[in-house]
Amino acid sequence: GDSVTQMEGPVTLSEEAFLTINCTYTATGYPSLFWYVQYPGEGLQLLLKATKADDKGSNKGFEATYRKETTSFHLEKGSVQVSDSAVYFCALSVYYGGSQGNLIFGKGTKLSVKP
Amino acid sequence: NAGVTQTPKFQVLKTGQSMTLQCAQDMNHEYMSWYRQDPGMGLRLIHYSVGAGITDQGEVPNGYNVSRSTTEDFPLRLLSAAPSQTSVYFCASSYTGVTNTQYFGPGTRLTVL
């Protein structure tokens, strides 16, 4: 079936370090891919998305490219800040058989950024 | 706009009790959904609705009921609470379809003793 696998955490980085959080997927149809972020004590917020192969989503300095050949959607940021400390979720929705499937979430990766 | 609101923020129940988690949105979104978040499990879809009067089951529907009588409201009912339903519950809404941005409420933390 359709699924998302993302890198387990927690991840601890120093401020201004480079961030990569890996996400791979399996899909029976045409996937759309998302990264959601959850700040402490809050609900999730959409960070970025990509709905077709080779699309790059970007927001707030974060980027992710939908790579069909490697079935991946890795999240990257060149220089993290303390305010980026949060839990990051990769998510997938698959279009198949004439209908769009519901969101399937990865387990989440907790990021802590130290000053 | 208040966005997506959820009440209560916290709730403690005893096994066998029933309760309703409230969810409301003021963005005229057609699509609404309920998720539960458990440690190490990510978010799992309980029920969803594509419009008033239409609901369907998600991945983990057992023990939960929903109805959608208005566009704004999408309550989640626990008929007979069990300890396995201890979780954080999130409601979300969007314009038609999941590829549109999902707006999440702040969550309800439920403990069943």
Side-chain angles (χ1 to χ4, degrees):
Chain A
D2 303 328
S3 66
V4 174
T5 302
Q6 68 178 100
M7 143 185 189
E8 303 241 348
V11 174
T12 302
L13 296 174
S14 297
E15 209 165 22
E16 299 184 2
F18 184 85
L19 169 70
T20 300
I21 301 178
N22 289 340
C23 173
T24 57
Y25 67 88
T26 58
T28 51
Y30 301 96
S32 293
L33 294 158
F34 308 82
W35 278 101
Y36 277 82
V37 58
Q38 183 179 31
Y39 297 104
E42 298 183 8
L44 280 70
Q45 304 172 25
L46 179 66
L47 182 59
L48 51 85
K49 70 179 182 182
T51 56
K52 59 182 189 293
D54 300 323
D55 266 2
K56 177 188 283 188
S58 61
N59 186 24
K60 299 182 181 179
F62 291 89
E63 293 183 339
T65 301
Y66 174 169
R67 304 275 188 206
K68 186 177 179 181
E69 63 275 13
T70 54
T71 61
S72 65
F73 193 56
H74 304 322
L75 182 68
E76 297 182 336
K77 186 175 186 184
S79 176
V80 294
Q81 305 300 312
V82 173
S83 57
D84 294 326
S85 297
V87 181
Y88 293 82
F89 292 91
C90 186
L92 164 73
S93 170
V94 180
Y95 184 85
Y96 179 79
S99 67
Q100 190 74 44
N102 289 303
L103 283 174
I104 299 168
F105 285 88
K107 294 183 178 181
T109 302
K110 183 175 182 179
L111 170 67
S112 296
V113 180
K114 307 296 185 188
Chain B
N1 283 354
V4 179
T5 57
Q6 292 184 238
T7 55
K9 291 183 75 70
F10 301 94
Q11 183 70 50
V12 179
L13 292 178
K14 294 181 180 177
T15 297
Q17 288 184 315
S18 63
M19 80 160 295
T20 299
L21 308 184
Q22 301 292 344
C23 174
Q25 52 90 10
D26 61 358
M27 296 173 282
N28 203 32
H29 286 167
E30 293 187 16
Y31 183 90
M32 296 185 74
S33 53
W34 276 102
Y35 293 87
R36 59 178 290 172
Q37 182 179 28
D38 301 295
M41 299 288 290
L43 276 77
R44 293 181 291 169
L45 182 65
I46 304 171
H47 285 285
Y48 65 99
S49 169
V50 299
I54 306 169
T55 63
D56 207 345
Q57 296 181 351
E59 179 186 356
V60 289
N62 291 343
Y64 307 95
N65 273 1
V66 292
S67 60
R68 183 101 179 266
S69 56
T70 67
T71 299
E72 295 78 19
D73 300 298
F74 191 43
L76 178 72
R77 296 182 187 85
L78 282 70
L79 304 176
S80 177
S84 60
Q85 294 178 303
T86 294
S87 188
V88 181
Y89 291 85
F90 289 100
C91 179
S93 74
S94 71
Y95 293 109
T96 54
V98 298
T99 55
N100 291 303
T101 301
Q102 299 293 308
Y103 292 86
F104 283 80
T108 295
R109 183 175 293 274
L110 175 68
T111 301
V112 182
L113 302 175

